[in-house]
Amino acid sequence: MPLILPDRLANVFIAYFVTGAWQSNCYVIADEDAGLAVAIDVGMDAARTVEELLAQRDFQLAGILLTHGLSTTAPRRRPGRCAPGPGVGAPGRPGN
């Protein structure tokens, strides 16, 4: 198993927060050098928090990844699929 050295994580931004009535665990992980972020397991009522975080850090949303299919996560996405940006839920994109 390869080692993950600390110097390889130096420019990775990780944020964790809990949201919604179901207290969903949501994450935003970004490459600070590239300015690209992925939102993971975006729960109900998470859009505003994710959008504010992206704006504060000047990140572009590259995708949304759902690791499981519970009613607490964004609707109409299959687990394991990454949805393209530009915003949380990617309004106007197929599947929304």
Side-chain angles (χ1 to χ4, degrees):
M1 175 175 256
L3 294 174
I4 299 176
L5 302 175
D7 63 342
R8 296 200 181 183
L9 296 176
N11 297 322
V12 174
F13 172 84
I14 301 173
Y16 162 79
F17 59 96
V18 177
T19 186
W22 290 79
Q23 297 293 284
S24 298
N25 297 310
C26 303
Y27 303 85
V28 174
I29 300 177
D31 178 335
E32 290 187 310
D33 292 333
L36 297 174
V38 176
I40 301 173
D41 292 337
V42 180
M44 295 175 3
D45 304 321
R48 179 177 292 159
T49 303
V50 172
E51 288 173 342
E52 288 173 358
L53 179 63
L54 295 174
Q56 288 171 1
R57 306 291 296 201
D58 197 27
F59 292 145
Q60 291 289 336
L61 184 63
I64 298 170
L65 178 66
L66 302 180
T67 63
H68 57 286
L70 295 177
S71 61
T72 59
T73 56
R76 292 184 292 235
R77 293 275 184 226
R78 292 190 311 211
R81 289 201 61 193
C82 190
V88 176
R93 301 273 183 165
N96 282 339

